[in-house]
Amino acid sequence: MTPVLQTEGLTKRYGQRPALSDVTLDIPAGRIVGLVGPNGAGKSTLLNLASGLLTPSAGTIRVLGARPAGDAAQLARVGFVAQDTPVYAGLTVADHLRLGERLNPRWDGALARRRIEQVGLDPAQKAGRLSGGQRAQLALTVAAAKRPELLIFDEPVAALDPLARRAFLQNLMEFVAELEVSVVLSSHLLSDLERVCDHLVVLASSRVQVDGEVEDLLKTHYRLVGARGDLDELPAGVELVHAEHTERQSTLVVRADGPLPGAVKHADHLDLEDMILAYLTRDALGAHR
Ligand SMILES: Nc1ncnc2c1ncn2[C@@H]1O[C@H](COP(=O)(O)OP(=O)(O)OP(=O)(O)O)[C@@H](O)[C@H]1O
């Protein structure tokens, strides 16, 4: 199956400053991919490159096996909702659907109308008067009714209250199951990502820190506790992500594809949130050293 997103040495600079450095990814189709990282990590830059709004400074990017936004057919295959879910404030909800129908060859009007009704949007309401959550629902509906093969969302739930966020993500998961669409979404909300994503990419300081299927990542990451000094040497196949020490004890977060060190007193798997935080802490400490 063609990968949904494939990059090699992908780099984007604004002037001299890298926003994305040497990013190599190969993400299979049929996933909900979470893209996570601190402010300024390069998430929007990557998503804008994937949707063809930006062009790379170096390296390559293929989306569904083709150049992003290379032609009208490729544009129709990808639905992109930029940060802050832009809508046309002066147009009504129904106008958005009419516009979508006119602009998109594969427009699914029945799906759009059903979704609008399901989420309780008034077709006559001007989009500029919708709440943040309603706007997000409208943007999701328009993007999904294009019947794309890939949906890209830049922080779709950032402006939503917890209930609206949950409803939006629930909706998104239903969509994915119904439409067999792949999704790439960025978010700062790690617990949300844990609930909906099956593939994760952690970006920090313009570089990929870790990337993989969530299930594999959870299986291979551990928090190890041992006597201070006993865990200084790690065997081959065990990569240190983050370490904290007290006078007597060391606590490490590691990625282990092989056996754990013999001197470990205690080993636990981490949840996704703690694993991501370990990578982000490593990057933050490295950056300020
Ligand atoms: N148009 C631009 N001109 C110059 N620099 C830019 C531009 N857009 C982004 N940058 C810089 O590129 C880097 C990556 O920005 P980007 O918006 O991709 O990060 P992000 O991970 O999406 O951040 P956030 O979580 O805050 O949305 C930042 O240092 C940012 O200041």
Side-chain angles (χ1 to χ4, degrees):
M1 213 180 201
T2 314
V4 72
L5 181 65
Q6 203 168 26
T7 71
E8 207 170 322
L10 182 66
T11 297
K12 178 69 187 175
R13 283 182 288 271
Y14 294 104
Q16 290 302 308
R17 213 158 141 216
L20 211 58
S21 306
D22 198 19
V23 166
T24 296
L25 293 170
D26 191 349
I27 297 176
R31 306 289 194 279
I32 300 186
V33 181
L35 179 59
V36 60
N39 292 128
K43 303 181 296 297
S44 296
T45 300
L46 177 59
L47 298 182
N48 287 331
L49 286 162
S51 58
L53 291 176
L54 291 174
T55 52
S57 308
T60 57
I61 177 164
R62 310 281 292 171
V63 174
L64 302 167
R67 195 157 58 83
D71 54 28
Q74 178 69 6
L75 277 172
R77 299 172 75 199
V78 179
F80 177 54
V81 183
Q83 217 163 353
D84 66 34
T85 51
V87 288
Y88 298 99
L91 298 187
T92 64
V93 169
D95 290 337
H96 277 79
L97 303 196
R98 276 191 285 274
L99 192 63
E101 183 152 30
R102 198 161 311 160
L103 295 178
N104 295 288
R106 294 201 305 219
W107 183 256
D108 187 339
L111 173 107
R113 286 188 295 276
R114 194 174 72 238
R115 290 267 316 130
I116 291 300
E117 200 183 316
Q118 259 172 15
V119 298
L121 289 180
D122 172 3
Q125 175 85 293
K126 287 255 166 66
R129 303 233 173 91
L130 297 173
S131 74
Q134 291 168 329
R135 264 204 315 275
Q137 292 290 13
L138 176 59
L140 169 63
T141 301
V142 171
K146 278 179 70 173
R147 297 304 298 251
E149 293 165 54
L150 169 64
L151 274 168
I152 301 177
F153 291 103
D154 196 353
E155 293 190 36
V157 295
L160 308 190
D161 70 53
L163 264 185
R165 214 163 75 211
R166 184 159 283 224
F168 178 90
L169 292 171
Q170 184 60 40
N171 260 281
L172 182 67
M173 287 194 288
E174 286 164 15
F175 256 163
V176 170
E178 185 187 336
L179 305 184
E180 294 182 358
V181 64
S182 305
V183 176
V184 179
L185 65 94
S186 71
S187 179
H188 288 291
L189 297 155
L190 305 185
S191 52
D192 285 347
L193 292 178
E194 178 143 26
R195 231 155 37 83
V196 301
C197 294
D198 33 36
H199 192 104
L200 184 80
V201 179
V202 178
L203 268 182
S205 306
S206 86
R207 292 181 184 275
V208 174
Q209 308 295 317
V210 66
D211 130 69
E213 300 286 300
V214 168
E215 210 178 299
D216 295 341
L217 294 174
L218 291 175
K219 267 190 218 151
T220 51
H221 283 79
Y222 298 86
R223 183 181 285 108
L224 308 180
V225 180
R228 179 83 200 243
D230 282 0
L231 297 178
D232 287 353
E233 302 278 322
L234 294 176
V238 179
E239 180 204 346
L240 179 65
V241 178
H242 178 61
E244 278 174 23
H245 306 282
T246 63
E247 223 167 89
R248 290 159 163 260
Q249 176 170 293
S250 295
T251 304
L252 313 186
V253 172
V254 298
R255 178 176 192 156
D257 295 311
L260 296 173
V264 166
K265 278 193 196 153
H266 188 80
D268 269 331
H269 281 289
L270 288 93
D271 63 22
L272 202 64
E273 187 164 347
D274 284 345
M275 190 205 83
I276 294 169
L277 287 172
Y279 279 100
L280 297 185
T281 309
R282 171 172 82 170
D283 174 74
L285 292 175
H288 298 113
R289 212 172 272 149

mmCIF file of all heavy atoms in Angstrom, residues 12-15 17-20 35-48 54 83 154-155 186-188 203-204 206, ligand 1:
data_model
loop_
_atom_site.group_PDB
_atom_site.id
_atom_site.type_symbol
_atom_site.label_atom_id
_atom_site.label_comp_id
_atom_site.label_asym_id
_atom_site.label_seq_id
_atom_site.Cartn_x
_atom_site.Cartn_y
_atom_site.Cartn_z
ATOM 1 N N LYS A 12 13.070 22.622 5.780
ATOM 2 C CA LYS A 12 12.478 23.912 5.405
ATOM 3 C C LYS A 12 13.138 24.998 6.238
ATOM 4 O O LYS A 12 13.166 24.927 7.465
ATOM 5 C CB LYS A 12 10.964 23.900 5.668
ATOM 6 C CG LYS A 12 10.281 25.206 5.351
ATOM 7 C CD LYS A 12 10.253 25.477 3.867
ATOM 8 C CE LYS A 12 9.733 26.863 3.547
ATOM 9 N NZ LYS A 12 9.810 27.157 2.099
ATOM 10 N N ARG A 13 13.700 25.979 5.548
ATOM 11 C CA ARG A 13 14.312 27.105 6.254
ATOM 12 C C ARG A 13 13.539 28.373 5.927
ATOM 13 O O ARG A 13 13.054 28.542 4.808
ATOM 14 C CB ARG A 13 15.770 27.285 5.793
ATOM 15 C CG ARG A 13 16.726 26.271 6.389
ATOM 16 C CD ARG A 13 18.154 26.525 5.925
ATOM 17 N NE ARG A 13 18.330 26.156 4.531
ATOM 18 C CZ ARG A 13 18.685 24.944 4.120
ATOM 19 N NH1 ARG A 13 18.947 23.989 4.998
ATOM 20 N NH2 ARG A 13 18.801 24.696 2.837
ATOM 21 N N TYR A 14 13.401 29.217 6.943
ATOM 22 C CA TYR A 14 12.913 30.575 6.701
ATOM 23 C C TYR A 14 14.135 31.471 6.824
ATOM 24 O O TYR A 14 14.669 31.600 7.931
ATOM 25 C CB TYR A 14 11.861 30.976 7.724
ATOM 26 C CG TYR A 14 10.585 30.159 7.617
ATOM 27 C CD1 TYR A 14 10.310 29.160 8.535
ATOM 28 C CD2 TYR A 14 9.675 30.391 6.590
ATOM 29 C CE1 TYR A 14 9.144 28.411 8.447
ATOM 30 C CE2 TYR A 14 8.509 29.652 6.499
ATOM 31 C CZ TYR A 14 8.247 28.668 7.421
ATOM 32 O OH TYR A 14 7.090 27.929 7.329
ATOM 33 N N GLY A 15 14.633 32.022 5.742
ATOM 34 C CA GLY A 15 15.926 32.701 5.775
ATOM 35 C C GLY A 15 16.974 31.644 6.098
ATOM 36 O O GLY A 15 17.018 30.596 5.475
ATOM 37 N N ARG A 17 17.098 30.276 9.100
ATOM 38 C CA ARG A 17 16.632 29.532 10.266
ATOM 39 C C ARG A 17 15.840 28.279 9.887
ATOM 40 O O ARG A 17 14.845 28.380 9.176
ATOM 41 C CB ARG A 17 15.738 30.468 11.067
ATOM 42 C CG ARG A 17 15.840 30.191 12.521
ATOM 43 C CD ARG A 17 15.425 31.344 13.338
ATOM 44 N NE ARG A 17 14.690 30.778 14.464
ATOM 45 C CZ ARG A 17 13.667 31.333 15.010
ATOM 46 N NH1 ARG A 17 13.222 32.477 14.560
ATOM 47 N NH2 ARG A 17 13.072 30.756 16.026
ATOM 48 N N PRO A 18 16.297 27.095 10.352
ATOM 49 C CA PRO A 18 15.542 25.899 9.988
ATOM 50 C C PRO A 18 14.253 25.778 10.811
ATOM 51 O O PRO A 18 14.276 25.942 12.031
ATOM 52 C CB PRO A 18 16.507 24.757 10.325
ATOM 53 C CG PRO A 18 17.423 25.311 11.365
ATOM 54 C CD PRO A 18 17.456 26.806 11.198
ATOM 55 N N ALA A 19 13.155 25.528 10.117
ATOM 56 C CA ALA A 19 11.902 25.235 10.817
ATOM 57 C C ALA A 19 11.693 23.729 10.842
ATOM 58 O O ALA A 19 10.958 23.198 11.684
ATOM 59 C CB ALA A 19 10.741 25.913 10.108
ATOM 60 N N LEU A 20 12.351 23.055 9.906
ATOM 61 C CA LEU A 20 12.280 21.598 9.820
ATOM 62 C C LEU A 20 13.628 21.136 9.270
ATOM 63 O O LEU A 20 14.096 21.672 8.267
ATOM 64 C CB LEU A 20 11.164 21.234 8.834
ATOM 65 C CG LEU A 20 10.399 19.944 9.069
ATOM 66 C CD1 LEU A 20 9.751 19.943 10.445
ATOM 67 C CD2 LEU A 20 9.313 19.805 8.007
ATOM 68 N N LEU A 35 0.827 14.217 15.501
ATOM 69 C CA LEU A 35 2.078 14.973 15.372
ATOM 70 C C LEU A 35 2.145 15.882 16.582
ATOM 71 O O LEU A 35 1.244 16.711 16.787
ATOM 72 C CB LEU A 35 2.015 15.775 14.069
ATOM 73 C CG LEU A 35 3.188 16.657 13.710
ATOM 74 C CD1 LEU A 35 4.462 15.837 13.594
ATOM 75 C CD2 LEU A 35 2.897 17.352 12.380
ATOM 76 N N VAL A 36 3.187 15.700 17.385
ATOM 77 C CA VAL A 36 3.222 16.428 18.653
ATOM 78 C C VAL A 36 4.587 17.075 18.836
ATOM 79 O O VAL A 36 5.583 16.588 18.302
ATOM 80 C CB VAL A 36 2.874 15.446 19.814
ATOM 81 C CG1 VAL A 36 3.836 14.313 19.905
ATOM 82 C CG2 VAL A 36 2.790 16.152 21.136
ATOM 83 N N GLY A 37 4.605 18.190 19.555
ATOM 84 C CA GLY A 37 5.870 18.872 19.818
ATOM 85 C C GLY A 37 5.582 20.237 20.396
ATOM 86 O O GLY A 37 4.473 20.752 20.270
ATOM 87 N N PRO A 38 6.590 20.843 21.030
ATOM 88 C CA PRO A 38 6.362 22.150 21.661
ATOM 89 C C PRO A 38 6.143 23.256 20.629
ATOM 90 O O PRO A 38 6.329 23.033 19.430
ATOM 91 C CB PRO A 38 7.661 22.392 22.439
ATOM 92 C CG PRO A 38 8.670 21.495 21.820
ATOM 93 C CD PRO A 38 7.939 20.347 21.210
ATOM 94 N N ASN A 39 5.778 24.437 21.089
ATOM 95 C CA ASN A 39 5.605 25.585 20.190
ATOM 96 C C ASN A 39 6.877 25.783 19.373
ATOM 97 O O ASN A 39 7.980 25.716 19.911
ATOM 98 C CB ASN A 39 5.347 26.872 21.000
ATOM 99 C CG ASN A 39 4.009 26.833 21.704
ATOM 100 O OD1 ASN A 39 3.925 27.055 22.890
ATOM 101 N ND2 ASN A 39 2.965 26.532 20.978
ATOM 102 N N GLY A 40 6.683 26.015 18.092
ATOM 103 C CA GLY A 40 7.832 26.301 17.227
ATOM 104 C C GLY A 40 8.619 25.073 16.806
ATOM 105 O O GLY A 40 9.686 25.192 16.200
ATOM 106 N N ALA A 41 8.088 23.876 17.091
ATOM 107 C CA ALA A 41 8.830 22.641 16.776
ATOM 108 C C ALA A 41 8.899 22.376 15.273
ATOM 109 O O ALA A 41 9.790 21.670 14.802
ATOM 110 C CB ALA A 41 8.171 21.448 17.467
ATOM 111 N N GLY A 42 7.932 22.897 14.529
ATOM 112 C CA GLY A 42 7.916 22.657 13.076
ATOM 113 C C GLY A 42 6.698 21.878 12.610
ATOM 114 O O GLY A 42 6.630 21.463 11.453
ATOM 115 N N LYS A 43 5.711 21.705 13.488
ATOM 116 C CA LYS A 43 4.521 20.899 13.135
ATOM 117 C C LYS A 43 3.746 21.527 11.972
ATOM 118 O O LYS A 43 3.457 20.866 10.984
ATOM 119 C CB LYS A 43 3.599 20.746 14.359
ATOM 120 C CG LYS A 43 4.270 20.121 15.555
ATOM 121 C CD LYS A 43 3.324 19.971 16.724
ATOM 122 C CE LYS A 43 2.791 21.274 17.293
ATOM 123 N NZ LYS A 43 3.819 22.164 17.861
ATOM 124 N N SER A 44 3.407 22.821 12.122
ATOM 125 C CA SER A 44 2.635 23.478 11.048
ATOM 126 C C SER A 44 3.442 23.489 9.763
ATOM 127 O O SER A 44 2.886 23.327 8.675
ATOM 128 C CB SER A 44 2.295 24.923 11.438
ATOM 129 O OG SER A 44 1.461 24.933 12.548
ATOM 130 N N THR A 45 4.736 23.679 9.892
ATOM 131 C CA THR A 45 5.592 23.692 8.694
ATOM 132 C C THR A 45 5.482 22.354 7.969
ATOM 133 O O THR A 45 5.297 22.313 6.748
ATOM 134 C CB THR A 45 7.055 23.989 9.110
ATOM 135 O OG1 THR A 45 7.076 25.258 9.755
ATOM 136 C CG2 THR A 45 7.977 24.008 7.911
ATOM 137 N N LEU A 46 5.547 21.253 8.719
ATOM 138 C CA LEU A 46 5.445 19.933 8.096
ATOM 139 C C LEU A 46 4.068 19.748 7.442
ATOM 140 O O LEU A 46 3.964 19.271 6.308
ATOM 141 C CB LEU A 46 5.702 18.832 9.145
ATOM 142 C CG LEU A 46 5.569 17.397 8.655
ATOM 143 C CD1 LEU A 46 6.533 17.100 7.513
ATOM 144 C CD2 LEU A 46 5.825 16.402 9.795
ATOM 145 N N LEU A 47 3.011 20.155 8.143
ATOM 146 C CA LEU A 47 1.659 19.980 7.597
ATOM 147 C C LEU A 47 1.436 20.887 6.380
ATOM 148 O O LEU A 47 0.772 20.493 5.419
ATOM 149 C CB LEU A 47 0.608 20.255 8.681
ATOM 150 C CG LEU A 47 0.673 19.309 9.893
ATOM 151 C CD1 LEU A 47 -0.436 19.630 10.886
ATOM 152 C CD2 LEU A 47 0.575 17.852 9.451
ATOM 153 N N ASN A 48 2.014 22.081 6.413
ATOM 154 C CA ASN A 48 1.883 22.972 5.256
ATOM 155 C C ASN A 48 2.679 22.454 4.054
ATOM 156 O O ASN A 48 2.277 22.649 2.908
ATOM 157 C CB ASN A 48 2.326 24.392 5.615
ATOM 158 C CG ASN A 48 1.295 25.086 6.502
ATOM 159 O OD1 ASN A 48 0.106 24.805 6.437
ATOM 160 N ND2 ASN A 48 1.751 25.982 7.355
ATOM 161 N N LEU A 54 3.523 25.076 1.279
ATOM 162 C CA LEU A 54 4.936 25.455 1.303
ATOM 163 C C LEU A 54 5.712 24.484 0.417
ATOM 164 O O LEU A 54 5.267 23.347 0.209
ATOM 165 C CB LEU A 54 5.502 25.342 2.732
ATOM 166 C CG LEU A 54 5.018 26.331 3.785
ATOM 167 C CD1 LEU A 54 5.589 25.946 5.154
ATOM 168 C CD2 LEU A 54 5.428 27.754 3.417
ATOM 169 N N GLN A 83 -4.627 25.564 11.005
ATOM 170 C CA GLN A 83 -4.798 25.978 12.400
ATOM 171 C C GLN A 83 -5.939 27.005 12.484
ATOM 172 O O GLN A 83 -6.152 27.756 11.548
ATOM 173 C CB GLN A 83 -3.493 26.623 12.885
ATOM 174 C CG GLN A 83 -3.160 26.302 14.293
ATOM 175 C CD GLN A 83 -1.680 26.609 14.589
ATOM 176 O OE1 GLN A 83 -0.911 26.942 13.712
ATOM 177 N NE2 GLN A 83 -1.312 26.495 15.842
ATOM 178 N N ASP A 154 -4.388 20.765 11.449
ATOM 179 C CA ASP A 154 -3.395 21.436 12.283
ATOM 180 C C ASP A 154 -4.099 21.923 13.554
ATOM 181 O O ASP A 154 -4.887 22.870 13.501
ATOM 182 C CB ASP A 154 -2.783 22.608 11.509
ATOM 183 C CG ASP A 154 -1.488 23.087 12.146
ATOM 184 O OD1 ASP A 154 -1.154 22.601 13.237
ATOM 185 O OD2 ASP A 154 -0.826 23.953 11.546
ATOM 186 N N GLU A 155 -3.824 21.259 14.648
ATOM 187 C CA GLU A 155 -4.424 21.580 15.951
ATOM 188 C C GLU A 155 -5.945 21.777 15.878
ATOM 189 O O GLU A 155 -6.448 22.870 16.177
ATOM 190 C CB GLU A 155 -3.754 22.812 16.548
ATOM 191 C CG GLU A 155 -2.315 22.523 16.895
ATOM 192 C CD GLU A 155 -1.677 23.629 17.707
ATOM 193 O OE1 GLU A 155 -2.365 24.217 18.544
ATOM 194 O OE2 GLU A 155 -0.487 23.882 17.495
ATOM 195 N N SER A 186 -2.097 17.452 14.256
ATOM 196 C CA SER A 186 -1.166 17.920 15.278
ATOM 197 C C SER A 186 -1.957 18.346 16.500
ATOM 198 O O SER A 186 -3.105 18.783 16.380
ATOM 199 C CB SER A 186 -0.341 19.091 14.754
ATOM 200 O OG SER A 186 -1.159 20.228 14.626
ATOM 201 N N SER A 187 -1.356 18.181 17.663
ATOM 202 C CA SER A 187 -2.026 18.607 18.891
ATOM 203 C C SER A 187 -1.015 18.744 20.021
ATOM 204 O O SER A 187 0.025 18.095 20.022
ATOM 205 C CB SER A 187 -3.091 17.592 19.283
ATOM 206 O OG SER A 187 -3.724 17.986 20.474
ATOM 207 N N HIS A 188 -1.368 19.625 20.967
ATOM 208 C CA HIS A 188 -0.566 19.719 22.195
ATOM 209 C C HIS A 188 -1.175 18.859 23.288
ATOM 210 O O HIS A 188 -0.619 18.748 24.372
ATOM 211 C CB HIS A 188 -0.537 21.168 22.688
ATOM 212 C CG HIS A 188 0.300 22.056 21.828
ATOM 213 N ND1 HIS A 188 1.659 21.950 21.777
ATOM 214 C CD2 HIS A 188 -0.025 23.050 20.978
ATOM 215 C CE1 HIS A 188 2.141 22.847 20.938
ATOM 216 N NE2 HIS A 188 1.123 23.516 20.433
ATOM 217 N N LEU A 203 8.036 15.810 17.248
ATOM 218 C CA LEU A 203 8.974 16.781 16.676
ATOM 219 C C LEU A 203 9.422 17.723 17.787
ATOM 220 O O LEU A 203 8.610 18.134 18.614
ATOM 221 C CB LEU A 203 8.256 17.656 15.658
ATOM 222 C CG LEU A 203 8.212 17.315 14.178
ATOM 223 C CD1 LEU A 203 7.469 18.426 13.445
ATOM 224 C CD2 LEU A 203 9.591 17.157 13.596
ATOM 225 N N ALA A 204 10.705 18.062 17.795
ATOM 226 C CA ALA A 204 11.165 19.130 18.692
ATOM 227 C C ALA A 204 12.386 19.756 18.042
ATOM 228 O O ALA A 204 13.180 19.036 17.401
ATOM 229 C CB ALA A 204 11.514 18.582 20.072
ATOM 230 N N SER A 206 12.788 21.335 15.425
ATOM 231 C CA SER A 206 12.771 21.117 13.978
ATOM 232 C C SER A 206 13.146 19.700 13.546
ATOM 233 O O SER A 206 13.198 19.412 12.362
ATOM 234 C CB SER A 206 13.647 22.154 13.238
ATOM 235 O OG SER A 206 14.992 21.757 13.179
HETATM 236 N N1 LIG B 1 6.443 32.405 7.763
HETATM 237 C C1 LIG B 1 7.460 32.250 8.602
HETATM 238 N N2 LIG B 1 8.536 33.062 8.547
HETATM 239 C C2 LIG B 1 9.583 32.909 9.385
HETATM 240 N N3 LIG B 1 9.654 31.955 10.336
HETATM 241 C C3 LIG B 1 8.605 31.121 10.452
HETATM 242 C C4 LIG B 1 7.458 31.228 9.602
HETATM 243 N N4 LIG B 1 6.577 30.237 9.952
HETATM 244 C C5 LIG B 1 7.150 29.562 10.970
HETATM 245 N N5 LIG B 1 8.373 30.085 11.270
HETATM 246 C C6 LIG B 1 9.302 29.590 12.302
HETATM 247 O O1 LIG B 1 9.532 28.216 12.051
HETATM 248 C C7 LIG B 1 9.572 27.486 13.274
HETATM 249 C C8 LIG B 1 8.525 26.368 13.242
HETATM 250 O O2 LIG B 1 7.231 26.959 13.239
HETATM 251 P P1 LIG B 1 5.893 26.104 13.148
HETATM 252 O O3 LIG B 1 4.771 27.072 13.018
HETATM 253 O O4 LIG B 1 6.063 25.069 12.094
HETATM 254 O O5 LIG B 1 5.891 25.399 14.577
HETATM 255 P P2 LIG B 1 4.703 24.604 15.336
HETATM 256 O O6 LIG B 1 5.324 23.358 15.862
HETATM 257 O O7 LIG B 1 3.532 24.462 14.442
HETATM 258 O O8 LIG B 1 4.395 25.594 16.530
HETATM 259 P P3 LIG B 1 3.006 25.853 17.367
HETATM 260 O O9 LIG B 1 2.804 24.662 18.241
HETATM 261 O O10 LIG B 1 3.351 27.072 18.151
HETATM 262 O O11 LIG B 1 1.897 26.079 16.364
HETATM 263 C C9 LIG B 1 9.358 28.493 14.390
HETATM 264 O O12 LIG B 1 10.626 28.859 14.876
HETATM 265 C C10 LIG B 1 8.696 29.661 13.693
HETATM 266 O O13 LIG B 1 9.034 30.871 14.322
#
